[in-house]
Amino acid sequence: MSAVLTSCEGIDGSDNPVFNTLIIHLEYDGLEDFQGELSRIAIFITDENGNFIVRHADKIDENMFAADVKPGKYIVSAEYIESEANADNIILGSAQVKIKEYQVLEIPLKINLNKIQTQNNK
């Protein structure tokens, strides 16, 4: 037996989640010497349940973007996506944030591009 909810109502009644704006300012360290592709750098906003929003750095205008998120705790991280399928991403920077209801939160995210060269030299 299955049921399909055709509206935004949850089992406990009306569910009107409050979304807030999280604004991320990207601050690059080592950009002038960076030899790679910005399209390989992904910015993740990950909630406590592992759900995430992702943006690629080459698609972000003026080193800033905004995301609508529910109140809660998040980890914002910048990761370099390795070309090899079995290789781990290189974490270039991260920040923990907590956003409350009806809050607009602006945070800087420092991205250390020198970590890519350091990691690749190991």
Side-chain angles (χ1 to χ4, degrees):
M1 181 174 181
S2 65
V4 177
L5 299 177
T6 58
S7 70
C8 291
E9 284 195 27
I11 294 173
D12 296 324
S14 178
D15 185 16
N16 294 323
V18 175
F19 284 92
N20 306 286
T21 303
L22 176 60
I23 300 171
I24 301 167
H25 297 275
L26 307 180
E27 299 177 358
Y28 292 101
D29 182 27
L31 185 59
E32 57 281 346
D33 297 325
F34 182 58
Q35 301 287 321
E37 301 172 32
L38 283 180
S39 62
R40 303 279 298 279
I41 298 173
I43 312 302
F44 290 93
I45 302 170
T46 308
D47 70 12
E48 294 175 298
N49 298 320
N51 302 313
F52 63 89
I53 299 169
V54 65
R55 297 282 189 282
H56 287 273
D58 65 328
K59 303 291 186 204
I60 298 172
D61 294 328
E62 299 182 22
N63 294 334
M64 182 192 81
F65 76 97
D68 291 327
V69 296
K70 294 180 183 178
K73 295 178 183 177
Y74 295 87
I75 296 177
V76 179
S77 63
E79 300 182 24
Y80 186 77
I81 311 299
E82 286 285 355
S83 59
E84 298 176 24
N86 61 347
D88 292 331
N89 295 346
I90 301 170
I91 298 174
L92 306 175
S94 67
Q96 293 183 346
V97 297
K98 182 176 182 179
I99 192 161
K100 300 175 184 171
E101 285 188 11
Y102 305 105
Q103 179 184 26
V104 174
L105 182 63
E106 292 192 44
I107 65 158
L109 180 61
K110 297 186 184 307
I111 300 173
N112 185 351
L113 297 173
N114 298 317
K115 287 185 177 182
I116 298 168
Q117 187 64 31
T118 303
Q119 187 73 20
N120 287 338
N121 288 337
K122 287 186 177 181

